């Protein structure tokens, strides 16, 4: 993204106004965000990354909670060891909420196939478009209106290339209370394919995962899964499989998600939180400035269809206008039945 010569940060200003309809009572909310990000090369092998966010949230009667769209996901994710966020949630007037947080502060060193990154950082693991079960540290929520990188983790990440196609990555972070969580990944890359077995130890659970994709001339198949062993001894599986292709200048994707833990979408179910879901999406450019991106989410176990259209107008000068909604149809008890209809109007400026 372009950078201002007077203000040397990649800066995103975004203001979003929306309506949410919980239990038949329409509620208003408005979120204004300022996100800053800067990457500097301190030497040939050493980079510095700094990022921060300021959020102002205005909530009308019956609006969603101020923290409902920017918490780590799943909801059980533990906060960082060192607090890097200030908010007025406890002292707010119930209408205006403010949040200031540090999102990135890390150093990265790389040389001869080895890379080390230490500090507050984000991890981008997994292959799914709808949800990433193997994105162990703070993955993005499946139905989030915000697509920026998730919250950072206070972590150390080490990677080493072993052979031409095989590498090893080890990451560890500290959570609130000084608890340590770690992940080990073994990426194996080839021409048109990727396979990554992984092992994770998180607070309250251990996971054995596998992710990968195979790319063909006209389509790609991807999959990932994690077998979780919870501290209670229960075994749960989260899995995703999908296929995507390009049709008439549009990107078409179909994915299946098994939410075995109930943490991805279980909060929106009126029955058992664990369920399966299908996700269908199409993204197509309409001329040089317009983009249309409708999506559909449905569980084969019942509940409503969730229609998720999005329209974006890019003015080409850093300004972008967007309109999107999440609307339920064919109501019935089951998965997604507790999801509130939402409508969002957004404007953003990047400089």
């Amino acid at each position: 993204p372009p950078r201002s010569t007077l203000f040397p940060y990649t800066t995103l200003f975004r203001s979003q106004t929306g309506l949410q309809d919980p239990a038949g009572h329409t509620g208003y909310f408005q979120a204004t965000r300022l996100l800053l990000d800067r990457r500097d090369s301190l030497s040939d092998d050493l980079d510095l990354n700094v990022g921060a966010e300021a959020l102002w949230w205005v909530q009308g009667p019956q609006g969603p909670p101020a923290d409902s769209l920017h918490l780590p996901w799943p909801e059980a994710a533990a906060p960082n060891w060192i607090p890097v966020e200030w908010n007025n949630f406890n002292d707010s007037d119930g209408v205006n909420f403010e949040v200031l947080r540090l999102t990135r502060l890390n150093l990265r060193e790389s040389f001869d196939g080895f890379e080390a990154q230490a500090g507050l950082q984000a991890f981008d693991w997994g292959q799914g478009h709808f949800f990433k079960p193997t994105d162990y540290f703070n993955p993005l929520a499946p139905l989030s209106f915000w697509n920026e990188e998730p919250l950072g983790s206070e972590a150390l990440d080490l990677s080493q290339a072993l052979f031409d196609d095989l590498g090893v990555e080890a990451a560890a972070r500290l959570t609130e209370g000084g608890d340590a969580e770690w992940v080990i990944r073994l990426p194996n890359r080839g021409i048109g394919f990727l396979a990554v077995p992984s092992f994770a130890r998180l607070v309250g659970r251990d996971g054995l995962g596998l992710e990968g994709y195979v790319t063909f001339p006209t389509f790609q198949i991807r999959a990932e899964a994690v077998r979780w062993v919870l501290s209670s001894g229960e075994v749960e599986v989260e899995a995703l499989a999908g296929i995507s292709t390009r049709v008439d200048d549009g990107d078409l994707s179909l994915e299946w998600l098994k939410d075995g833990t109930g943490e991805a979408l279980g909060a929106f179910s009126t029955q058992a939180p664990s369920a399966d879901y299908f996700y269908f999406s199409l993204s197509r450019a309409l001329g040089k400035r317009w983009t249309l991106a409708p999506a559909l989410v449905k569980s084969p176990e019942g509940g409503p269809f969730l229609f998720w259209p999005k329209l974006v107008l890019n003015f080409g000068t850093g300004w972008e206008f967007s309109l999107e909604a999440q609307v339920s149809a064919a109501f019935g008890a089951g998965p997604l039945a507790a999801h509130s209809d939402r409508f969002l109007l957004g404007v953003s400026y990047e400089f």
Side-chain angles (χ1 to χ4, degrees), residues 45-350:
D45 301 324
L46 185 63
D47 296 325
L48 171 67
N49 181 205
V50 180
E53 176 185 0
L55 166 66
W56 176 36
W57 181 284
V58 179
Q59 176 179 315
Q62 302 296 329
D67 56 356
S68 63
L69 294 182
H70 65 86
L71 275 177
W73 200 274
E75 295 179 353
N80 285 318
W81 180 45
I82 301 174
V84 291
E85 174 180 302
W86 172 88
N87 64 64
N88 72 335
F89 291 169
N90 294 329
D91 303 320
S92 171
D93 58 5
V95 176
N96 295 277
F97 300 87
E98 294 89 30
V99 177
L100 294 174
R101 67 160 63 96
L102 193 65
T103 57
R104 307 286 182 271
L105 181 59
N106 60 77
L107 288 170
R108 185 180 65 180
E109 176 81 14
S110 58
F111 57 88
D112 297 335
F114 174 78
E115 183 174 298
Q117 187 160 308
L120 186 62
Q121 58 188 290
F123 294 86
D124 187 16
W125 298 324
Q127 306 301 318
H129 294 177
F130 184 50
F131 186 62
K132 298 179 179 181
T134 59
D135 195 4
Y136 298 106
F137 294 164
N138 298 342
L140 194 64
L143 298 177
S144 175
F145 276 147
W146 298 354
N147 56 11
E148 285 78 30
E149 294 181 1
L151 297 177
S153 297
E154 295 165 358
L156 173 65
D157 184 41
L158 305 176
S159 300
Q160 175 64 56
L162 301 178
F163 307 105
D164 290 341
D165 300 327
L166 180 64
V168 59
E169 178 182 6
R173 71 171 180 175
L174 287 175
T175 60
E176 189 176 39
D179 294 321
E181 298 183 331
W182 55 263
V183 175
I184 296 176
R185 304 172 73 247
L186 298 170
N188 184 13
R189 301 179 184 274
I191 299 176
F193 81 90
L194 170 71
V196 187
S198 57
F199 312 88
R201 168 156 288 189
L202 308 184
V203 175
R205 66 185 66 187
D206 296 332
L208 175 63
L210 179 65
E211 65 175 275
Y213 63 76
V214 179
T215 301
F216 298 92
T218 58
F219 65 96
Q220 182 190 76
I221 297 175
R222 58 189 172 275
E224 56 185 290
V226 182
R227 181 181 183 272
W228 290 111
V229 179
L230 308 182
S231 56
S232 62
E234 296 179 88
V235 176
E236 304 288 358
V237 175
E238 288 183 324
L240 179 138
I243 183 171
S244 59
T245 186
R246 189 162 183 82
V247 179
D248 295 333
D249 297 327
D251 295 317
L252 186 66
S253 178
L254 174 64
E255 291 186 335
W256 161 78
L257 170 66
K258 178 178 178 59
D259 183 13
T261 63
E263 292 175 343
L265 290 169
F268 302 123
S269 177
T270 56
Q271 295 178 345
S274 59
D276 293 0
Y277 301 88
F278 287 104
Y279 169 75
F280 173 81
S281 67
L282 171 66
S283 178
R284 182 171 184 178
L286 304 176
K288 295 182 178 180
R289 299 190 183 277
W290 292 91
T291 301
L292 179 64
L296 184 69
V297 184
K298 180 68 174 77
S299 172
E301 300 170 31
F305 288 86
L306 185 65
F307 183 49
W308 187 1
K310 182 175 182 180
L311 184 66
V312 177
L313 171 60
N314 190 326
F315 291 95
T317 58
W319 288 98
E320 187 176 271
F321 168 83
S322 63
L323 178 65
E324 63 181 298
Q326 292 176 352
V327 182
S328 300
F331 291 96
L336 298 177
H339 186 275
S340 301
D341 291 347
R342 299 193 292 180
F343 304 87
L344 195 71
L345 178 67
V347 61
S348 64
Y349 180 63
E350 189 169 24

